[in-house]
Each structure stands twice: as structure tokens, then as C-alpha cells.
Amino acid sequence: MAYCRRAKLAVNSLRHTFSSGPIFRSPIRDSSSIISQNLGSSIPSKFSGFSSSYSSSSKRLGISNSHCYDPFLNGSKRFYYVDRYRVQHFRRRGPQRWIQNPRNALIVVLVGSGVLVTVYFGNLETVPYTKRKHLVLLSKETEKKMGESQFEQLKAAYKGKILPAVHPESVRVRLIAKDIIDSLQRGLNHDQICTELEYGSPESSIEHDTMTGRSPMKGDSGLNWSREDEILDDKWVEKSRKKNQEGGSQPTTSHLAGLNWEVVVIKEPVVNAMCLPGGKIVVFTGLLEHFRSDPEIATIIGHEVGHAVARHIAETITKNLWFAILQLILYQFIMPDLANTMSALLLRLPFSRRMELEADYIGLLLLASAGYDPRVAPKVFEKLGKVAGDSAMQDYLSTHPSGRKRAQLLAQAQVMEEALMIYREASAGRGVEGFL
């Protein structure tokens, strides 16, 4: 009977222990409370007294159990994120990345913006004649050296095919080029912009008194032009000139100072001509076979010199830099082939066609200032389009506009009237200075 009574008391003691609540109510408990709950009423009073005395001592010393470090306590919160597997990851040790500091990010943005603004406005130039503003990062000296280097490479590539300086075609082209360059000098209204024109053939040279002659075919070409030829199109030349004249912008002409102009005629059936930076003019005999009159040749040379006046090669290099950066950004979102196609159709080709139209306009004014009838220019570009084989999609898929569109833009009333006014002044012997 006594055995049953002791067993019943043990069962009641265990039942009382579990009914009082869970043992671990928090991640960490006081050791005395845990012992008292586990052992129940069997704990001696002396342990209880020790616990109370320890608690009072800790309070007098300022020690609090709530601030004791415990790696399993949730209050520490050293983790910075929990992954999909519910694993807590702790913060990285060491210095943080600079971008994570808002102050550092703001400083970088402000400094970077200041540098970009300084570079942009510090390299912004105004194109002569058209008054268009453009960004050119390439220095004038570097551009000049590039043109001279390409000129030497071209002469080496066509060695043996360069006509001598005393050849009739060489003398003729050189005289026409001299007229265009002299008109450029008068337009810039500087005392000495360029040196005497030289022939680039390494084999021989020509006396300077030969350049004093005039071309017998210069003058009125017999072509008629009227206001009915006006084509309604974009007014970019008019708008850019008006805007910059009101703002007092001065054209950039320092890259034309002190140039050593040279001309070579290459015997090659290529319908082409070019003017490299630094004043290096190249004409192929294939062009002379299709354009035989002096005003026609002067139109082509004037167009090529217009590229050098506007620094189109240096501007193209600058634009290609921005296009490459834009392509790298597009590569993150679309396929590389599609990005290249979009960049070419929407940026590179339209920009190239716009430069060609600008060179046409500058060349037209140089042609008129040199004493050649500017009314021949639209016919030349229309003929050039037929020789090159214009297509319906050339205005969208080519680096050069169609000859028909170039002729239409030059035949606009406002453009042609300006050129005719310059031509009349030059024909009267008064010349035109500073008309750019």
C-alpha cells in the first residue's frame, strides 16, 4: 500500500511539472529557474537562497542577463538575408563597396557630370558656312597627321600610276583646285590661310608661274535655273546659321591655318575624288572621263574640300566612339546582330548622309566664290547618281544620298540665290570676303 502511495505521488509530481508550461519559453533561461522546474518541489531551499543571492548581487554590480551575448539568441541579428532554403547568411566582414555608400555615389555622379560637361563644351565647334555645332574630340594636330599619313600610304599604294606634274590633266586639276582653295582663303578672310599649292608627285614638280593661268572653260555653263526648281525639304542649313548668328558663334577655322595643300591625279578607272585632312587632294582619272568641263570638276573638288573644312573625318571618329558605347548597352538587351543593324540604319548611315549634304552646300559656296557658275552643281550630282547607279533605297541604306536628292537640295531657291549672289560678286572682280 505504501508503494502505491509513493508511485501516485511521483505521477502527480510529473503531471504538475508538464502542466505548468514548456521548459524553454525563450532561447535562454536562468539556470536556477530551469533546475527548479525540472526538479519541482525536491529542490532544497539552500539552492533557492543561492539563486536569490546571486540575482541580488548581479543587480548591485549592474550585470543584466538580457545583455549577455549568446550566438543562438535571435536578438543579435547578424544575418543580412535569408535564402530560399531558410538559411541565414551573415554580413560580410571588411569594408563595404563604395557604391553602397550614398555619399560616395553622389560624389562620383557630381564629379563625372562635371567632367562630361567640361569635355563636351570644351570640344564643341562651329562648322564654317553652315554654322552647325558639333563635338570633335580629336585634336587638330592629330587629325592633320592622320591625313598626311594616309596620303603617303595612298601614294605608295598607287606608285607608278600617279600622273607627273607636267601632265595636262595634272596641270588642269591643279589649277581648278587652286581656284577653290583661293576662294576658301577669301571666305575665311584671313591674310594667309594656306601656302602655295603643290603637286604631290614624288617624281617631278611644276613651276609656280604655271598656276597663274585661268581655265578657258570657266564661266556660265549654259544651264538654266529658276524658282520652279525649289524643293521643299528640311531647312537645317538655314536654321543652324540663323541660330548661331543670333548667338554670336564664330566658326572654327584654326584647323585650316598653315596647311600644305597638295594635289595628285592617279591614273585609275575609279569615279572618285577625296580631300584628306591636312589639305591633301586626290583625283582619279575615272572621274575626269565622265566630268570633262572645269565647272563640273570644280563642283566635285569643292565638295571634297567641304569635308575638310567641316572636319567630317574627326567628327566621324568622335561619333563612332559614342556609337560603340551605345552598342555595348544594347548588347545587354538584344542580340548583337540586331544591335549592329539598328545602329547602322538609325545612327551611322543617317549621320553619314547628313555630312555629305553639308559638304555639298559648302562646296557650292566655294564653287561660286571661285568664279564658277553654281547652277551646274545640281546637274553634276544628278549625273553622278546615274554614273554610280542610284537605287530607290539609297537614301536609306547607303552612306551617300542619291544624286537626285542632292540635286534637289542644292536647287532650293534660298540656297541657290545665296550662291548666285556670291558668284556675281566674284565675276565682277570684287570677290567676297568673310561670307562664311
Side-chain angles (χ1 to χ4, degrees), residues 119-242:
V119 171
Y120 178 79
F121 287 100
N123 294 275
L124 203 61
E125 299 181 356
T126 302
V127 179
Y129 302 98
T130 62
K131 302 298 189 295
R132 178 178 66 91
K133 288 187 176 294
H134 64 159
L135 177 66
V136 179
L137 298 178
L138 194 66
S139 66
K140 301 176 180 63
E141 189 65 26
T142 303
E143 180 190 21
K144 180 180 178 181
K145 291 181 179 179
M146 287 178 56
E148 294 174 348
S149 176
Q150 292 177 1
F151 186 62
E152 295 299 327
Q153 293 176 7
L154 189 143
K155 290 194 298 182
Y158 289 99
K159 186 177 182 180
K161 295 184 178 181
I162 299 178
L163 297 181
V166 294
H167 193 280
E169 294 292 351
S170 299
V171 175
R172 180 189 177 199
V173 171
R174 187 182 179 195
L175 291 174
I176 297 173
K178 181 180 182 300
D179 292 333
I180 297 296
I181 295 171
D182 288 344
S183 68
L184 173 63
Q185 181 178 359
R186 291 192 299 270
L188 296 175
N189 197 18
H190 285 200
D191 295 333
Q192 289 184 351
I193 289 295
C194 58
T195 59
E196 64 274 6
L197 185 65
E198 297 181 359
Y199 194 76
S201 175
E203 290 84 4
S204 58
S205 60
I206 189 171
E207 297 297 331
H208 297 303
D209 57 357
T210 310
M211 297 189 299
T212 58
R214 299 288 294 177
S215 176
M217 300 183 68
K218 184 185 301 185
D220 194 351
S221 61
L223 298 176
N224 296 323
W225 174 87
S226 64
R227 287 183 179 269
E228 297 178 356
D229 296 326
E230 179 179 0
I231 304 297
L232 297 178
D233 206 315
D234 54 349
K235 302 290 185 180
W236 63 276
V237 173
E238 176 186 357
K239 291 180 180 179
S240 60
R241 296 187 71 178
K242 182 179 179 181

Side-chain angles (χ1 to χ4, degrees), residues 3-18:
Y3 177 77
C4 292
R5 189 179 297 110
R6 287 195 297 271
K8 187 176 180 179
L9 290 175
V11 170
N12 291 335
S13 178
L14 292 174
R15 182 182 300 173
H16 175 74
T17 302
F18 286 104

Side-chain angles (χ1 to χ4, degrees), residues 147-377:
E148 294 174 348
S149 176
Q150 292 177 1
F151 186 62
E152 295 299 327
Q153 293 176 7
L154 189 143
K155 290 194 298 182
Y158 289 99
K159 186 177 182 180
K161 295 184 178 181
I162 299 178
L163 297 181
V166 294
H167 193 280
E169 294 292 351
S170 299
V171 175
R172 180 189 177 199
V173 171
R174 187 182 179 195
L175 291 174
I176 297 173
K178 181 180 182 300
D179 292 333
I180 297 296
I181 295 171
D182 288 344
S183 68
L184 173 63
Q185 181 178 359
R186 291 192 299 270
L188 296 175
N189 197 18
H190 285 200
D191 295 333
Q192 289 184 351
I193 289 295
C194 58
T195 59
E196 64 274 6
L197 185 65
E198 297 181 359
Y199 194 76
S201 175
E203 290 84 4
S204 58
S205 60
I206 189 171
E207 297 297 331
H208 297 303
D209 57 357
T210 310
M211 297 189 299
T212 58
R214 299 288 294 177
S215 176
M217 300 183 68
K218 184 185 301 185
D220 194 351
S221 61
L223 298 176
N224 296 323
W225 174 87
S226 64
R227 287 183 179 269
E228 297 178 356
D229 296 326
E230 179 179 0
I231 304 297
L232 297 178
D233 206 315
D234 54 349
K235 302 290 185 180
W236 63 276
V237 173
E238 176 186 357
K239 291 180 180 179
S240 60
R241 296 187 71 178
K242 182 179 179 181
K243 178 180 179 181
N244 287 281
Q245 285 175 352
E246 292 176 354
S249 299
Q250 297 296 325
T252 303
T253 59
S254 58
H255 61 286
L256 301 172
L259 296 184
N260 181 26
W261 293 88
E262 295 183 69
V263 179
V264 294
V265 179
I266 300 176
K267 188 177 181 180
E268 192 73 15
V270 178
V271 185
N272 193 17
M274 65 186 71
C275 180
L276 300 173
K280 312 304 179 183
I281 301 174
V282 180
V283 179
F284 294 90
T285 55
L287 183 72
L288 304 178
E289 295 176 0
H290 291 87
F291 301 94
R292 299 186 178 277
S293 67
D294 286 8
E296 291 178 332
I297 300 174
T299 300
I300 302 297
I301 295 179
H303 166 84
E304 299 301 332
V305 173
H307 282 301
V309 171
R311 299 192 67 190
H312 281 162
I313 292 182
E315 185 180 2
T316 301
I317 295 175
T318 303
K319 293 287 185 181
N320 288 337
L321 175 62
W322 301 119
F323 293 159
I325 296 176
L326 181 59
Q327 280 183 333
L328 291 177
I329 297 175
L330 292 177
Y331 286 162
Q332 309 301 321
F333 304 98
I334 58 179
M335 297 177 60
D337 293 340
L338 182 59
N340 293 334
T341 303
M342 293 176 58
S343 176
L345 292 178
L346 301 179
L347 298 175
R348 297 181 187 274
L349 295 181
F351 169 70
S352 178
R353 290 192 293 268
R354 175 56 63 89
M355 288 196 304
E356 294 297 329
L357 296 178
E358 186 175 42
D360 290 346
Y361 177 76
I362 296 175
L364 180 71
L365 300 184
L366 292 176
L367 177 72
S369 179
Y372 296 95
D373 192 340
R375 291 172 289 188
V376 72

